[in-house]
Amino acid sequence: MTTMLKLHGHPFSSYCWKALIALYANGTPFTFVQMESDRPLSEQFPGKVHPGGHIPVLEDGDTVVVEATSIVEHLAVHHPGPAPLIPADPAEAVVARMIDRVFDNYVMGNMQRVVAAHLASRDKPELGMRASPDAAEIAAAKARLRQAYAWLETWLGVNRLPPHVSLVTCAAAPSLFYADWIEPIAEDQPRLKALRAQLLALPAVARCVEDARPYRPFFPLGAPDRD
């Protein structure tokens, strides 16, 4: 009998999107366990099994998988489908993993730095907003975002991405979706702007966007009236 997967997370979480996109793209049956906003995450399942108490967390029978990239890798191995999550060619897989880290560390990571600069506590977002956002941290994170955008624009000009939906798709879609709210991709970066639009048009990504729409008031900077 096939074990039903459980993904613990929240529809507004960028890293949860990363796992959800992979599941949706392959039509993989799973149960979504949404985190309860009135309870500290430390008291819920992810807080007890993840070393940092973060989401998403995947349950596959007795196996628990933490970290969004590892969840996508686990799905590629144990629950494959039509979406080529990890390229079959080892050399292409290395490139996919490299670009995954670029999006996670330098796009998503710096986007989250800006969000965190508005929160009283990054580890306890339930404590609400700071009286005054950390302006120096925001400026530094935005500068690093622009640096990452420039690198990606150049890289896209001489390389090709794996076909959608891949690990890169799963990382790039939420990264570019939220980062562009904080620091819009420049007009002189047409490849990156086109990639964001292309990603948001994918059915698996569009589903995440719509499922997260009711939670936009949670965005500390104020969600823009677009997308």
Side-chain angles (χ1 to χ4, degrees), residues 66-226:
V66 302
E67 294 296 301
T69 295
S70 297
I71 290 173
V72 176
E73 294 259 14
H74 178 89
L75 294 171
V77 172
H78 298 284
H79 302 274
L85 299 177
I86 305 297
D89 180 85
E92 292 181 3
V94 169
V95 174
R97 291 183 175 102
M98 176 185 76
I99 299 301
D100 166 75
R101 303 323 304 143
V102 170
F103 277 110
D104 270 12
N105 291 329
Y106 305 109
V107 181
M108 193 117 67
N110 284 304
M111 175 275 291
Q112 290 187 325
R113 283 177 65 187
V114 176
V115 170
H118 286 76
L119 300 175
S121 170
R122 181 169 187 166
D123 291 330
K124 295 182 178 180
E126 65 271 14
L127 295 179
M129 308 285 283
R130 293 167 57 103
S132 298
D134 186 339
E137 173 66 1
I138 291 169
K142 286 187 173 186
R144 294 301 299 272
L145 264 177
R146 292 191 294 271
Q147 182 180 349
Y149 289 168
W151 188 94
L152 284 162
E153 179 70 18
T154 300
W155 190 91
L156 290 168
V158 294
N159 296 277
R160 65 180 182 87
L161 294 176
H164 299 307
V165 168
S166 74
L167 174 64
V168 175
T169 313
C170 297
S175 298
L176 293 175
F177 178 81
Y178 285 114
D180 189 63
W181 283 7
I182 285 172
E183 181 67 19
I185 300 167
E187 293 300 324
D188 63 355
Q189 294 165 339
R191 299 182 190 91
L192 197 58
K193 287 179 73 74
L195 175 61
R196 184 179 187 272
Q198 181 186 84
L199 292 169
L200 295 187
L202 296 171
V205 178
R207 183 172 177 180
C208 288
V209 172
E210 291 308 311
D211 288 348
R213 196 173 295 278
Y215 303 98
R216 290 190 178 191
F218 291 170
F219 197 67
L221 290 73
D225 187 21
R226 58 184 173 90

Side-chain angles (χ1 to χ4, degrees), residues 48-83:
K48 297 174 181 177
V49 301
H50 189 291
H54 299 154
I55 52 176
V57 171
L58 181 74
E59 282 188 272
D60 186 355
D62 294 331
T63 300
V64 174
V65 186
V66 302
E67 294 296 301
T69 295
S70 297
I71 290 173
V72 176
E73 294 259 14
H74 178 89
L75 294 171
V77 172
H78 298 284
H79 302 274

Side-chain angles (χ1 to χ4, degrees), residues 4-8 23 29-33 57-61:
M4 176 62 76
L5 300 172
K6 290 183 182 179
L7 183 71
H8 299 257
L23 288 161
F30 73 102
T31 298
F32 187 69
V33 183
V57 171
L58 181 74
E59 282 188 272
D60 186 355

